[in-house]
Amino acid sequence: MDKQSLTSEMKILLSNDDGVHALGIKVLFDELVKHFSVNVVAPDRNCSGASNSLTLLNPLRVEHLDNGFISVNGTPTDSVHLGSSQLFTDCDLVVAGINKGANLGDDTLYSGTVAAATEGRHMGMPAIAVSLVGKNEQHYQTAAIVTAKIIKRLRTHPLPADQILNINVPDIPLTELKGIKVTRLGHRHQAERMQKMQDPWQRDIYWYGLLGQELDGGEGTDFHAVANGYASVTPLTVDMTAHRSIENIKSWLTELNLSD
């Protein structure tokens, strides 16, 4: 099957970064399996913030769970790579989520959810990441239904080969969702500094500080859409090249004398 021409027999590889036992992946599976063939391969633990990390120094092992999901002792990227290259080699689409919490703006650089989708792209498949944005996430079904509807549209509107979709859905009932907006990534202020504390044995320990506030969160951004009751869909490119800087850097590098 041409993986850019999705059909009604679409086979989905579903993963996440919150772990194979997370509520989000179960709710998403239950919704997607109504419409598609779905296989779950996900980390055996919470890997939030794992980004695109791979397990290189230890072997990967899988465990087949009673609900049919497959647990991997690795990262989200490991799970998608292993799932698509060894366990389910005929899958057509990679879906990552539903993440417990936002993956907006700069957060996408750290997100294991987005990384799982990116790995799907690296493996030659269209891919999407989906997150539920709230403080006490409850309405996973809203995000699941939005995701299923978007996947159906991909049958006739396939993604470009170098892109994934990053979906963020506000934590509200589906009846309160105002719609879907196509957005760009916003940007945050610098995150708070690490916090120094002490454990019960008076040894120093450190925790990451709170996320910074939105520096660029105006209309058109993913931050703005979600804050105003819309699901945000942001196309992300895998190419990190700063194309606008190439000519500038080329001009001053030509003056560099390596013999000095």
Side-chain angles (χ1 to χ4, degrees):
M1 179 186 298
D2 181 359
K3 293 178 179 177
Q4 302 302 319
S5 302
L6 303 177
T7 72
S8 59
E9 300 297 322
M10 189 190 309
K11 297 178 181 179
I12 294 175
L13 176 63
L14 177 59
S15 193
N16 71 353
D17 76 349
D18 289 332
V20 71
H21 301 290
L23 177 59
I25 200 169
K26 180 183 183 303
V27 174
L28 186 53
F29 172 83
D30 289 344
E31 181 62 31
L32 295 183
V33 79
K34 298 175 184 177
H35 314 282
F36 316 106
S37 172
V38 186
N39 291 297
V40 175
V41 184
D44 60 359
R45 65 202 181 282
N46 190 317
C47 292
S48 295
S51 190
N52 297 85
S53 57
L54 293 168
T55 301
L56 300 178
L57 302 181
N58 295 293
L60 294 175
R61 304 179 190 278
V62 301
E63 179 182 359
H64 294 261
L65 306 182
D66 291 341
N67 62 358
F69 293 5
I70 295 179
S71 172
V72 179
N73 64 328
T75 67
T77 302
D78 290 328
S79 299
V80 171
H81 194 105
L82 178 62
S84 61
S85 66
Q86 291 290 329
L87 305 176
F88 304 107
T89 58
D90 59 346
C91 50
D92 305 304
L93 173 73
V94 169
V95 179
I98 302 168
N99 188 65
K100 186 180 190 298
N103 279 306
L104 300 165
D106 308 299
D107 303 344
T108 56
L109 293 173
Y110 304 100
S111 169
T113 306
V114 175
T118 302
E119 188 64 16
R121 249 309 164 203
H122 291 332
M123 298 299 289
M125 289 166 286
I128 64 176
V130 57
S131 304
L132 185 65
V133 184
K135 294 183 178 179
N136 298 291
E137 295 84 355
Q138 299 179 31
H139 299 96
Y140 286 96
Q141 190 64 30
T142 301
I145 291 173
V146 168
T147 303
K149 289 181 177 295
I150 289 174
I151 292 173
K152 289 178 181 178
R153 296 292 289 176
L154 292 181
R155 292 173 177 157
T156 53
H157 298 79
L159 293 173
D162 63 340
Q163 295 177 14
I164 66 172
L165 291 183
N166 186 39
I167 303 170
N168 282 271
V169 182
D171 184 27
I172 55 178
L174 184 64
T175 54
E176 297 180 14
L177 190 67
K178 294 181 180 179
I180 300 174
K181 285 186 178 291
V182 179
T183 61
R184 64 176 176 84
L185 294 181
H187 298 284
R188 293 188 185 276
H189 282 287
Q190 182 178 351
E192 297 294 329
R193 294 180 179 273
M194 277 197 170
Q195 304 296 310
K196 181 179 179 180
M197 304 176 186
Q198 290 187 320
D199 67 14
W201 294 272
Q202 306 304 307
R203 297 175 300 195
D204 290 340
I205 57 174
Y206 301 86
W207 287 96
Y208 276 100
L210 299 174
L211 293 173
Q213 295 300 310
E214 293 90 353
L215 174 64
D216 174 17
E219 189 169 356
T221 67
D222 48 1
F223 287 118
H224 187 271
V226 171
N228 286 276
Y230 292 88
S232 165
V233 177
T234 308
L236 303 180
T237 180
V238 179
D239 181 6
M240 297 177 67
T241 305
H243 292 278
R244 289 179 296 178
S245 297
I246 288 178
E247 291 304 317
N248 178 51
I249 295 174
K250 187 186 298 183
S251 67
W252 61 259
L253 272 181
T254 58
E255 304 169 1
L256 185 65
N257 189 339
L258 297 179
S259 63
D260 287 346

mmCIF file of all heavy atoms in Angstrom, residues 3-6 91-95 117 120-121 124-128 154 158-161 163-165:
data_model
loop_
_atom_site.group_PDB
_atom_site.id
_atom_site.type_symbol
_atom_site.label_atom_id
_atom_site.label_comp_id
_atom_site.label_asym_id
_atom_site.label_seq_id
_atom_site.Cartn_x
_atom_site.Cartn_y
_atom_site.Cartn_z
ATOM 1 N N LYS A 3 1.881 4.542 1.269
ATOM 2 C CA LYS A 3 1.621 5.151 2.563
ATOM 3 C C LYS A 3 1.204 6.608 2.459
ATOM 4 O O LYS A 3 0.848 7.227 3.450
ATOM 5 C CB LYS A 3 2.843 4.998 3.465
ATOM 6 C CG LYS A 3 3.078 3.543 3.828
ATOM 7 C CD LYS A 3 4.304 3.347 4.688
ATOM 8 C CE LYS A 3 4.471 1.879 5.033
ATOM 9 N NZ LYS A 3 5.668 1.605 5.807
ATOM 10 N N GLN A 4 1.259 7.191 1.287
ATOM 11 C CA GLN A 4 0.746 8.536 1.110
ATOM 12 C C GLN A 4 -0.695 8.516 0.603
ATOM 13 O O GLN A 4 -1.325 9.556 0.481
ATOM 14 C CB GLN A 4 1.632 9.307 0.132
ATOM 15 C CG GLN A 4 3.082 9.406 0.558
ATOM 16 C CD GLN A 4 3.218 10.068 1.911
ATOM 17 O OE1 GLN A 4 2.541 11.032 2.194
ATOM 18 N NE2 GLN A 4 4.075 9.540 2.759
ATOM 19 N N SER A 5 -1.235 7.336 0.291
ATOM 20 C CA SER A 5 -2.597 7.217 -0.217
ATOM 21 C C SER A 5 -3.390 6.351 0.756
ATOM 22 O O SER A 5 -3.589 5.161 0.537
ATOM 23 C CB SER A 5 -2.593 6.602 -1.619
ATOM 24 O OG SER A 5 -1.805 7.382 -2.494
ATOM 25 N N LEU A 6 -3.819 6.959 1.867
ATOM 26 C CA LEU A 6 -4.472 6.211 2.926
ATOM 27 C C LEU A 6 -5.853 5.746 2.475
ATOM 28 O O LEU A 6 -6.589 6.460 1.814
ATOM 29 C CB LEU A 6 -4.590 7.088 4.164
ATOM 30 C CG LEU A 6 -3.240 7.644 4.666
ATOM 31 C CD1 LEU A 6 -3.462 8.561 5.851
ATOM 32 C CD2 LEU A 6 -2.298 6.521 5.025
ATOM 33 N N CYS A 91 2.083 -0.857 8.759
ATOM 34 C CA CYS A 91 1.246 0.254 9.224
ATOM 35 C C CYS A 91 1.346 1.438 8.259
ATOM 36 O O CYS A 91 2.346 1.621 7.565
ATOM 37 C CB CYS A 91 1.611 0.671 10.641
ATOM 38 S SG CYS A 91 3.359 0.947 10.931
ATOM 39 N N ASP A 92 0.281 2.232 8.209
ATOM 40 C CA ASP A 92 0.159 3.336 7.256
ATOM 41 C C ASP A 92 0.323 4.705 7.909
ATOM 42 O O ASP A 92 0.596 5.682 7.212
ATOM 43 C CB ASP A 92 -1.219 3.310 6.586
ATOM 44 C CG ASP A 92 -1.508 1.978 5.934
ATOM 45 O OD1 ASP A 92 -0.701 1.553 5.081
ATOM 46 O OD2 ASP A 92 -2.536 1.356 6.273
ATOM 47 N N LEU A 93 0.098 4.783 9.206
ATOM 48 C CA LEU A 93 0.064 6.066 9.894
ATOM 49 C C LEU A 93 0.518 5.871 11.333
ATOM 50 O O LEU A 93 0.152 4.881 11.975
ATOM 51 C CB LEU A 93 -1.360 6.633 9.870
ATOM 52 C CG LEU A 93 -1.645 7.898 10.672
ATOM 53 C CD1 LEU A 93 -1.014 9.112 9.992
ATOM 54 C CD2 LEU A 93 -3.164 8.113 10.825
ATOM 55 N N VAL A 94 1.307 6.813 11.833
ATOM 56 C CA VAL A 94 1.691 6.820 13.242
ATOM 57 C C VAL A 94 0.926 7.918 13.962
ATOM 58 O O VAL A 94 0.864 9.059 13.490
ATOM 59 C CB VAL A 94 3.206 7.035 13.414
ATOM 60 C CG1 VAL A 94 3.564 7.312 14.875
ATOM 61 C CG2 VAL A 94 3.971 5.817 12.915
ATOM 62 N N VAL A 95 0.327 7.564 15.084
ATOM 63 C CA VAL A 95 -0.372 8.530 15.923
ATOM 64 C C VAL A 95 0.230 8.456 17.320
ATOM 65 O O VAL A 95 0.425 7.359 17.859
ATOM 66 C CB VAL A 95 -1.889 8.246 15.987
ATOM 67 C CG1 VAL A 95 -2.586 9.263 16.892
ATOM 68 C CG2 VAL A 95 -2.497 8.264 14.591
ATOM 69 N N ALA A 117 5.807 10.972 16.954
ATOM 70 C CA ALA A 117 5.276 11.259 15.622
ATOM 71 C C ALA A 117 6.400 11.525 14.631
ATOM 72 O O ALA A 117 6.374 11.047 13.488
ATOM 73 C CB ALA A 117 4.329 12.459 15.691
ATOM 74 N N GLY A 120 7.850 8.437 13.334
ATOM 75 C CA GLY A 120 7.014 7.854 12.295
ATOM 76 C C GLY A 120 7.333 8.440 10.937
ATOM 77 O O GLY A 120 7.433 7.726 9.933
ATOM 78 N N ARG A 121 7.543 9.763 10.901
ATOM 79 C CA ARG A 121 7.929 10.424 9.667
ATOM 80 C C ARG A 121 9.288 9.922 9.177
ATOM 81 O O ARG A 121 9.489 9.675 7.999
ATOM 82 C CB ARG A 121 7.983 11.941 9.873
ATOM 83 C CG ARG A 121 6.916 12.728 9.156
ATOM 84 C CD ARG A 121 6.833 12.365 7.722
ATOM 85 N NE ARG A 121 5.575 12.836 7.133
ATOM 86 C CZ ARG A 121 5.026 12.327 6.071
ATOM 87 N NH1 ARG A 121 5.562 11.280 5.469
ATOM 88 N NH2 ARG A 121 3.914 12.807 5.575
ATOM 89 N N GLY A 124 9.094 6.861 7.288
ATOM 90 C CA GLY A 124 8.423 6.919 5.999
ATOM 91 C C GLY A 124 6.913 6.974 6.029
ATOM 92 O O GLY A 124 6.267 6.749 5.004
ATOM 93 N N MET A 125 6.332 7.284 7.200
ATOM 94 C CA MET A 125 4.874 7.312 7.320
ATOM 95 C C MET A 125 4.378 8.693 7.700
ATOM 96 O O MET A 125 5.063 9.427 8.413
ATOM 97 C CB MET A 125 4.415 6.306 8.383
ATOM 98 C CG MET A 125 4.569 4.864 7.982
ATOM 99 S SD MET A 125 4.412 3.779 9.410
ATOM 100 C CE MET A 125 5.980 4.078 10.233
ATOM 101 N N PRO A 126 3.172 9.056 7.262
ATOM 102 C CA PRO A 126 2.561 10.261 7.805
ATOM 103 C C PRO A 126 2.337 10.073 9.296
ATOM 104 O O PRO A 126 2.180 8.944 9.775
ATOM 105 C CB PRO A 126 1.236 10.375 7.043
ATOM 106 C CG PRO A 126 0.966 9.007 6.524
ATOM 107 C CD PRO A 126 2.305 8.364 6.314
ATOM 108 N N ALA A 127 2.322 11.174 10.057
ATOM 109 C CA ALA A 127 2.239 11.035 11.508
ATOM 110 C C ALA A 127 1.604 12.264 12.127
ATOM 111 O O ALA A 127 1.729 13.381 11.616
ATOM 112 C CB ALA A 127 3.633 10.818 12.100
ATOM 113 N N ILE A 128 0.922 12.044 13.244
ATOM 114 C CA ILE A 128 0.342 13.144 13.996
ATOM 115 C C ILE A 128 0.578 12.923 15.480
ATOM 116 O O ILE A 128 0.706 11.791 15.960
ATOM 117 C CB ILE A 128 -1.167 13.317 13.723
ATOM 118 C CG1 ILE A 128 -1.948 12.095 14.202
ATOM 119 C CG2 ILE A 128 -1.431 13.569 12.257
ATOM 120 C CD1 ILE A 128 -3.447 12.258 14.032
ATOM 121 N N LEU A 154 -7.216 12.794 6.174
ATOM 122 C CA LEU A 154 -5.906 12.520 5.591
ATOM 123 C C LEU A 154 -5.977 11.537 4.430
ATOM 124 O O LEU A 154 -5.039 11.438 3.641
ATOM 125 C CB LEU A 154 -4.957 11.973 6.661
ATOM 126 C CG LEU A 154 -4.531 12.942 7.773
ATOM 127 C CD1 LEU A 154 -3.575 12.248 8.739
ATOM 128 C CD2 LEU A 154 -3.885 14.193 7.193
ATOM 129 N N PRO A 158 -3.355 13.958 1.957
ATOM 130 C CA PRO A 158 -2.156 13.418 2.616
ATOM 131 C C PRO A 158 -1.164 14.516 2.983
ATOM 132 O O PRO A 158 -1.102 15.565 2.337
ATOM 133 C CB PRO A 158 -1.572 12.460 1.573
ATOM 134 C CG PRO A 158 -2.109 12.943 0.273
ATOM 135 C CD PRO A 158 -3.472 13.480 0.564
ATOM 136 N N LEU A 159 -0.404 14.245 4.035
ATOM 137 C CA LEU A 159 0.606 15.194 4.491
ATOM 138 C C LEU A 159 1.810 15.198 3.564
ATOM 139 O O LEU A 159 2.173 14.157 3.004
ATOM 140 C CB LEU A 159 1.074 14.824 5.899
ATOM 141 C CG LEU A 159 0.054 14.963 7.026
ATOM 142 C CD1 LEU A 159 0.638 14.384 8.311
ATOM 143 C CD2 LEU A 159 -0.329 16.406 7.226
ATOM 144 N N PRO A 160 2.476 16.339 3.413
ATOM 145 C CA PRO A 160 3.761 16.361 2.711
ATOM 146 C C PRO A 160 4.760 15.450 3.413
ATOM 147 O O PRO A 160 4.662 15.206 4.631
ATOM 148 C CB PRO A 160 4.187 17.830 2.795
ATOM 149 C CG PRO A 160 2.914 18.585 2.982
ATOM 150 C CD PRO A 160 2.044 17.689 3.816
ATOM 151 N N ALA A 161 5.733 14.975 2.678
ATOM 152 C CA ALA A 161 6.659 13.967 3.192
ATOM 153 C C ALA A 161 7.539 14.460 4.328
ATOM 154 O O ALA A 161 8.097 13.656 5.070
ATOM 155 C CB ALA A 161 7.537 13.447 2.055
ATOM 156 N N GLN A 163 6.553 16.595 6.863
ATOM 157 C CA GLN A 163 5.781 17.255 7.914
ATOM 158 C C GLN A 163 4.988 16.270 8.755
ATOM 159 O O GLN A 163 4.678 15.162 8.326
ATOM 160 C CB GLN A 163 4.823 18.278 7.294
ATOM 161 C CG GLN A 163 5.519 19.427 6.602
ATOM 162 C CD GLN A 163 4.547 20.384 5.950
ATOM 163 O OE1 GLN A 163 3.341 20.350 6.204
ATOM 164 N NE2 GLN A 163 5.071 21.251 5.095
ATOM 165 N N ILE A 164 4.677 16.710 9.990
ATOM 166 C CA ILE A 164 3.732 16.018 10.859
ATOM 167 C C ILE A 164 2.700 17.044 11.311
ATOM 168 O O ILE A 164 2.900 18.250 11.153
ATOM 169 C CB ILE A 164 4.411 15.374 12.082
ATOM 170 C CG1 ILE A 164 4.987 16.456 13.009
ATOM 171 C CG2 ILE A 164 5.493 14.395 11.655
ATOM 172 C CD1 ILE A 164 5.504 15.904 14.316
ATOM 173 N N LEU A 165 1.606 16.582 11.878
ATOM 174 C CA LEU A 165 0.613 17.475 12.464
ATOM 175 C C LEU A 165 0.698 17.402 13.976
ATOM 176 O O LEU A 165 0.701 16.301 14.551
ATOM 177 C CB LEU A 165 -0.800 17.091 12.014
ATOM 178 C CG LEU A 165 -1.159 17.312 10.546
ATOM 179 C CD1 LEU A 165 -2.622 16.949 10.308
ATOM 180 C CD2 LEU A 165 -0.890 18.745 10.117
#
